[in-house]
Amino acid sequence: MSTDTVNQKVPTGVWTVDPVHSSVTFAVTHNNVATFRSGFESYEATLTGGDEAQLVGTVDVQSVDIDEAQLKGHLMSPDFFDTERHPKLTFTSSSLEIAYDGTVRLAGDIEIKGQVREVEATGRFGELPANLGGNPRVALSLATAVDRRDFGIEFNADLPNGGQVLEWEVAINVDLELVAQEA
């Protein structure tokens, strides 16, 4: 048996996000060339370790990091996130596989704007040195992309020279440092 096929496990226990050392971000191509990037300032994530590891997370959509009031208001409107009716994004994993080299394959359900779709993400996992308080830590870095139309986010506008203002595909990156919770 090759060591490349041996899987790691998330250490047993409950791990919660350290928001100072974590981020939840997204990116979308804008005007056919530029990339618009932003993220969220308020989110929670819990990783349960052991044989059946599971990642669960929520994002407060109102916390999107955009300083321009008109754009932020448009993103909160029914054209995009419709935060009056759908204030949270949620994710629950259905499988989490970690290869011997720390490579991760994760699948689960993401809910955006009331629409639930299965997504797959790839990334890396690793155990980290304890934090300054002596608590064990782990890190999980994930990347995926979704078609925003799958979640009812269909706003767009034609550009004068062809194409549309926004691409349909949105890249999502989640970088988490998680701290072990006491039993």
Side-chain angles (χ1 to χ4, degrees), residues 16-40:
T16 57
V17 72
D18 170 2
V20 173
H21 298 105
S22 301
S23 63
V24 177
T25 62
F26 64 91
V28 62
T29 301
H30 182 257
N31 289 332
N32 291 328
V33 176
T35 301
F36 174 81
R37 291 180 172 83
S38 189
F40 299 94

Side-chain angles (χ1 to χ4, degrees), residues 24-147:
V24 177
T25 62
F26 64 91
V28 62
T29 301
H30 182 257
N31 289 332
N32 291 328
V33 176
T35 301
F36 174 81
R37 291 180 172 83
S38 189
F40 299 94
E41 296 176 1
S42 178
Y43 50 88
E44 296 177 359
T46 301
L47 179 62
T48 304
D51 291 334
E52 298 293 326
Q54 184 178 49
L55 177 66
V56 175
T58 61
V59 172
D60 176 5
V61 182
Q62 289 279 356
S63 75
V64 68
D65 186 19
I66 296 176
D67 290 334
E68 208 283 314
Q70 186 173 353
L71 175 56
K72 185 169 183 173
H74 192 204
L75 289 177
M76 300 304 109
S77 78
D79 281 345
F80 287 94
F81 290 113
D82 194 6
T83 57
E84 189 171 308
R85 294 184 332 143
H86 308 286
K88 302 276 186 197
L89 309 178
T90 63
F91 177 80
T92 302
S93 69
S94 55
S95 71
L96 174 60
E97 299 172 359
I98 306 169
Y100 180 75
D101 66 356
T103 303
V104 171
R105 295 191 64 79
L106 174 121
D109 290 333
I110 189 169
E111 180 177 352
I112 301 173
K113 199 177 177 182
Q115 301 294 315
V116 178
R117 299 287 184 269
E118 185 175 29
V119 296
E120 292 185 6
T122 58
R124 301 207 36 89
F125 172 83
E127 293 187 54
L128 305 174
N131 67 11
L132 294 176
N135 297 314
R137 296 180 308 142
V138 296
L140 185 59
S141 180
L142 299 165
T144 191
V146 298
D147 186 324

